[in-house]
Amino acid sequence: MEHVVIAGGGPTGLWLAAELRLAGTPVTVLEARHARDPHSKALTLHPRTLEILAFRGVVEPFLAEGRRIPSGHFGGLDDRMDFGALDTPYPFTLALPQARTEELLEAYAVASGADVRRGHRVTGLTQDEDAVTVEVAGPDGPYTLRAAHLVGCDGTRSTVREAAGIAFPGTDATTWGWLGDVVLDAPPEGAVYAASGPEGGVMVVPMPGGVHRIVGGDHDSDGPDHPGELTLDALRAKVTRVAGTDFGMRDPSWLSRFGNATRQAATYREGRVLLAGDAAHMHYPAGGVGLNVGFQDATNLSWKLAAALAGTAPDGLLDSYHAERHPVGADLLLSTRAQTALMNAHSAEGQDLRTLLSRLIATVPAFSLSLAERLSGLDVAYPSPASGHPLTGHRAPNLELADGTDLFTALRPGRHVLLHFTDTPAPDPGVVVARAASRPGTRPAWSTVRTALIRPDGHVARASDGPDPIRT
């Protein structure tokens, strides 16, 4: 049985479906909502996500509609990180509402052959040695699906996670942010406006359709209990207290609050059930990283799951999904907690801490670059054997190839790429074989490499500096 069922038709589930279809795996996506949520929780696509879209050849529609922002913030600090220093073809974040991102991804997944069913909600599951039986409530009544694997991409309140008995330890909310999508008669200038001080912090970002998103936090919102429904008058008062003006806000299309509850699934795999995205990690939306980490979860999982179903996976490959992505999720929680502390540093001492760290971003390029690589997802490196090459597990940059194309183009089929830097490559069944244009002198770690095997997710599987070429 090769069929995979995915619970959840958000960005993580849709991208996972498309990736599995690239490998020829039959996929059914079950999405409880009958229609796409018009309120976009996420607005930002980070550089690594754009790279992933590029090495499947589908980045252009996103670039055509999104707004490029060449810098990023950490914890709402006044000085911003320059993304121009990043080693990527996409040295910017892309502002694009999640609703539109989902629409583009769903069209791609359906065109790839995925069966996307809206209004179909997973209600339970049972597993045996051969398959997982998925219980579904559909528009025409309940039914079951039997599949080789079930992947829960169904959000922080994941039914799949709970039904599989996977623990979700962490901490409850202690503070609450606020958000409003509103019309502004006197909007601030620039791609992103931010202000902070003892009263709190606020950020203003333009969105399509003449709407601006206002997001922030203040000490009045501290405490474990939900503060209640956010009203336009309350939002106006908060923004005015922090920024000195309400920017002429009116006509809200969405008002919401969000807490800093932080949790992570104890395991990303329980038998034939796996988790990805918000079902695996829950956190304060600092830096707009959540959608992007879920996207990368799906990219890591898809080729391993497809190989396991095809019978070509080496022992332990599917288990490596948890081994590689759980630490990334833990680091995500560390980063968002740290940023939450900075965003809520309202005391005099807290304001001094913010000033100090902001100055370091402005005056110490290496510090700014390190934070930018962390936020962008470009710094992710997976564990490698002690005897392995230093590049093993690291992200491969978009190296130029001798035929005038590049590595990202070679990755489009979703297969391993065997890259040669010196010799004329010989054909190798099951992989894409390519020759690099030259050794990249501007990247010292690559300057002595003779051959490298690049995984379908763009990370280095193996590399060699010696005369013996890598064999797959």
Side-chain angles (χ1 to χ4, degrees), residues 334-353:
L334 171 69
S335 177
T336 53
R337 277 188 171 124
Q339 292 187 71
T340 303
L342 284 173
M343 290 175 174
N344 289 278
H346 306 308
S347 67
E349 293 83 359
Q351 291 295 298
D352 285 346
L353 174 62

Side-chain angles (χ1 to χ4, degrees), residues 46 72-73 81 83 286-289 339 370-377:
H46 284 290
H73 77 89
M81 300 164 286
F83 277 21
V289 294
Q339 292 187 71
S370 178
L371 288 178
E373 289 176 336
R374 171 188 289 269
L375 185 69
S376 65

Side-chain angles (χ1 to χ4, degrees), residues 156 161 167-173 260-266 268 277-284 326 329-330 332-333 336-337:
T156 57
R161 186 187 63 236
F168 200 42
T171 55
D172 294 331
N260 68 325
T262 303
R263 299 183 179 279
Q264 185 178 21
Y268 285 13
D278 290 347
H281 35 75
M282 174 185 184
H283 54 90
Y284 198 71
H326 195 273
L332 165 68
L333 269 55
T336 53
R337 277 188 171 124

